[in-house]
Every structure is written in structure tokens, then in C-alpha cells.
Amino acid sequence: MTGQPSAPDPAAALNPRLPSPLQEVADERFARHGVRLVLKRDDLIHPQLVGNKWRKLAPNLRAAAGRPLLTFGGAYSNHLRATAAAGRLLGLPTIGVVRGQELADRPLNPSLARCAADGMRLRFVDRSTYRDKSDPATLAAVLRAADAEDAYVVPEGGSNPLAVRGCQDLGAELRDRADVVAIACGTGGTLAGLAAGLAPDQRALGIPVLKGGFLEEEIRRLQDRAFGGPRGDWRLDDRFHFGGYARTTSELDAFAGDFETRHSLPVERLYVAKLLYGLVALAAEDAFPRGTTVAAVITGSPFEEHAPEDSPGTD
């Protein structure tokens, strides 16, 4: 007797490039300290669901089983754009709950305009409601107001236990390929899974792109929910946020432009530039022993120039 055929995997239908390529770069800022730099090109997984957005969304797309997707983000959220693109490609309705009721009466910025063009229905909520979105009563009210009570809910940044376990694959792809694996962190879900997938003699380094110092506790909470306890050897260095999410400076822009020129790599400014800047600074501090191979996870590619939000987000 044969069982029922399994349902098609919506994520596989999008033809991801997995495992993502590993690219060695020759950079004297590392070489002079005896450090080898390689780039884990997760930005090449899929042209519209790039990097960690793919790894976190794919397991949630499977769990949604064809239901509409509702998720949350700020006005410049990469996660909202990736969810909207997934919905368009798979024919799934998507609803984006955006922080900031005042934005409802303003023209859409390029990021939200892309979401709308991909068919995402945008709902703007006040910041107090947005802060309480994890409260069951508040979430139920948001779903009712959006006429989306049957929707599959993906949290802000896509970081839930399914996503964290999905990011284990990133660590598994890097086993025996580097001593230190570094990644820029927003909500911490990717680092939580990455660290769990690495070998015991490897360590993960997170570069938070937000200020506030809350991320260590959040990563521990995510690992507890996903795995029942802590996993892997990881730490954070929170010196390189440049003022917070969607914040940049002329120094960071100049650094990113120089890195692009040196290595013919388009550098995304909100996450990747801060990661690479941090690694160059750490190499200059001799933070890595000579002979260390450092893998930098390239989690995204440039979109448009972003104006900073008045209240930084956590995507």
C-alpha cells in the first residue's frame, strides 16, 4: 500500500542556488595580519529572495501550505520586500503590517512601492500597536482589521523557530570551510541557526546593525525555542551599527565604495557594509590569530538609496 504523494515544495519551485558559492578575496587589510577572507555569497541564492531572507522564508512558505502570508516590518524592511516577492512568484496573497500610521498618508518610498507592485497589501499601524504585535489580543485585532484572520503569520524579520532551524543549513554548508563565520544581525534569527549548524571547533560572530544591546538575550531565546537550549559557539560585537538600523555615515559609504572597487562586489549598505567594515577593523586589532580563515556571509544586495527612518526597525 502506497502513501499519499507529498505536497509540492513551494520553496523548491523557485529554483534556489544552493549551496551558495564561496568566494575567496585577496585583501591586504587581512593578509598583512595573516588572515584569509572568504565570502559566502548568499546574495546569489535567488535574485529576489536573497540571502538569509530565503533561508528564513523557505520553511515558513512550506508551513503556510498555500495560505495568505501576513508579516511585519518597517518602512525600509528587506523582509517585507522578500515576502512580497515570494507571494508574487508563488501566487500567494501577502499582507504587510508596516510600523507607523503616519506613513499611510505619505507617498510610498521605493521599498514599500516595490512591495505594493509585487501585490502586497499594506496596512499601516501606530507604533504602540506595532510594539505590542506579539501580544495575542493585539495580533488578533491586527488580523481582524486586515481581514486576514486565516493568514499564516510570519514575525518581523522572519525570525521564528522554523526560520532558525532553516538557517542551520547555512552553518552546515560552511563546516570545515572557515574558522570564524561572521554575519550582520538584525533580529538575530540567522545567527541563532548558523551557530547551531557549525562544527564544534568553529565559531560564529554577529555584527548587530542596531544599537541597544538587546540582541544577545533575543538570540538565546530563539535558540531555546528552536532547539530547546543554547547551540554553538557565538558572540556579538556591537561597535559597528553606525547609529542604528537604516543609519549610515559618509565614512561607511566611502568604505563600501572602496570595497566594491577592490573586489567588484556590490555592497548592500544596511547590513553587509557594516559587517565588512567590522571585520576590517577587527583584523587591524589583531582580533583573529594568524592563520585564521574568516567567512563573511553576504546576506543581501543593494536596492535603492535609503533615507533613514525616524524610528529604527529590527528587520
Side-chain angles (χ1 to χ4, degrees), residues 72-106:
F72 300 84
Y76 295 94
S77 169
N78 294 326
H79 169 67
L80 284 183
R81 286 207 313 274
T83 303
R88 174 177 57 79
L89 292 167
L90 294 171
L92 296 175
T94 57
I95 305 99
V97 180
V98 184
R99 181 184 58 254
Q101 181 63 49
E102 71 278 6
L103 300 175
D105 298 323
R106 300 179 188 174

Side-chain angles (χ1 to χ4, degrees), residues 179-216:
D179 303 295
V180 177
V181 180
I183 192 164
C185 302
T187 54
T190 307
L191 178 61
L194 162 66
L198 291 173
D201 61 345
Q202 295 175 290
R203 64 183 176 93
L205 170 65
I207 304 294
V209 302
L210 295 94
K211 59 183 178 180
F214 63 91
L215 201 56
E216 182 170 342

